[in-house]
Amino acid sequence: MKRSLRRHIEAAINQTWNPRRFDRRGRVTVVLSFPEAAFPDAPQWSPGPDFTATAGEYAWLRDNGDGTSTAVVAGVGPKELPGADGGEWTEPEVWTATAPTDSLFIDSGAMWDKPHRITWLLGEPGATITREPYEGHPSAAVHAYWDNFHEQWGFVPARMHRGEFPFADRRRFAALHTEPDFGSLPDEAQLLETAVTLMRSFDAKARVYAYDPQRGTTRDPMRTVSDYTLTSVVRALDRRASR
C-alpha cells in the first residue's frame, strides 16, 4: 500500500513540479475515502430518507414534487437575516421550512454552500417555517461528536463538497494537499506518511491527483484550495505521538 501510494505521489509531483518551468507549479492532492464502518460510534441524524444532505451534517433538502421544497438547517444563528445584524432569538435553532422551489432562497443554491440563509424565508409569503431549539436536538449530538473527532485527528471526514463525491461511492472523504515549489524539495514524505496513517487507521482508500496547468487547478474532483487539512492532521498526529 505504502509503496504504491508513494509511486503515485511521485508521479503527480513530476507532473506538477518542474524547476525549469515555473508555470507548472501547483498542488498535489491525496483524496481519502472512508467507509462508514470506520466511525462506528458516530451518531447519525437526518430529517428522513427522502432528504439529500447538502452541507455535511448541517443541511438537507427535499423536492416535494408539487412545486415546493422542504429545507432543514441545524444550528441556525440569530445573525443571518439579510442586511440585518441580529434577530429575535439568541440561541441556535433547527429550522424546517417549506417554500416554493423557485423562491429566492431555494432557487439560489444557498442550501449547498450557505444554508443558514434559510432565514431569508422569513420574508417569503409562501413559506411555512418550524423552529426548534438546537440544544438537545439529535443534530447537536452529531456535531459534538465530529468536533471532538477534529480535536483528536485534525480533520473531519466530509460527506460531500457542493454536491459532488470524490469517488462516486457516496462515502466520507478528506483531501490532503502539498505544494511542490521552486527552490525547495516537495514535501512528499509528510503527505505520504499522513495519508498512510489515516488509511491504516480508518481502512480508507486513496487517489492521487496532480496539478493541471491548463485548468490552473488541481485535478482532484473536490477542487479544494487549502492545505489546512494536511497541516491540521500533522499537528494532531504529533500531539498523539507525544502523549
Side-chain angles (χ1 to χ4, degrees):
M1 176 183 67
K2 186 174 184 178
R3 185 177 302 173
S4 175
L5 184 59
R6 179 187 290 113
R7 288 199 302 266
H8 282 88
I9 291 176
E10 289 175 348
I13 288 175
N14 289 335
Q15 295 179 50
T16 298
W17 182 70
N18 187 327
R20 297 181 181 179
R21 293 185 57 185
F22 304 150
D23 62 327
R24 295 190 68 185
R25 293 161 60 187
R27 296 180 183 275
V28 172
T29 302
V30 175
V31 178
L32 301 172
S33 180
F34 303 92
E36 290 298 322
F39 316 105
D41 299 329
Q44 299 185 27
W45 183 84
S46 76
D50 296 330
F51 283 85
T52 297
T54 61
E57 315 285 349
Y58 288 86
W60 301 263
L61 184 64
R62 181 184 67 195
D63 185 337
N64 298 322
D66 59 359
T68 68
S69 295
T70 298
V72 180
V73 180
V76 179
K79 295 186 178 181
E80 304 293 343
L81 291 172
D85 182 17
E88 297 179 353
W89 68 104
T90 59
E91 299 297 328
E93 297 180 348
V94 178
W95 285 41
T96 301
T98 298
T101 301
D102 61 359
S103 62
L104 175 61
F105 171 72
I106 299 293
D107 194 45
S108 69
M111 278 294 290
W112 297 95
D113 59 357
K114 297 179 177 65
H116 290 78
R117 286 182 178 176
I118 192 171
T119 54
W120 288 10
L121 292 177
L122 289 172
E124 172 62 53
T128 58
I129 302 171
T130 300
R131 297 161 57 176
E132 307 171 74
Y134 173 73
E135 183 177 359
H137 192 275
S139 63
V142 175
H143 303 158
Y145 174 90
W146 291 115
D147 286 347
N148 182 64
F149 184 93
H150 183 275
E151 181 66 24
Q152 296 183 45
W153 288 95
F155 78 105
V156 173
R159 182 64 80 176
M160 63 169 60
H161 179 79
R162 294 181 180 271
E164 300 175 356
F165 295 89
F167 284 67
D169 58 9
R170 306 185 76 84
R171 304 194 335 170
R172 295 183 182 274
F173 71 92
L176 307 176
H177 307 275
T178 191
E179 185 168 355
D181 200 358
F182 177 70
S184 64
L185 291 176
D187 200 350
E188 168 196 347
Q190 186 180 70
L191 179 62
L192 175 64
E193 292 300 328
T194 303
V196 168
T197 297
L198 296 183
M199 290 171 69
R200 290 173 173 169
S201 299
F202 299 104
D203 193 27
K205 57 183 180 178
R207 289 183 184 174
V208 182
Y209 299 88
Y211 180 76
D212 187 337
Q214 294 184 341
R215 294 194 305 174
T217 185
T218 307
R219 291 192 180 99
D220 76 273
M222 300 295 91
R223 296 191 296 276
T224 42
V225 296
S226 173
D227 61 356
Y228 167 77
T229 301
L230 176 59
T231 302
S232 180
V233 173
V234 169
R235 290 174 178 171
L237 294 178
D238 287 344
R239 289 196 304 268
R240 294 171 67 91
S242 64
R243 292 172 183 171

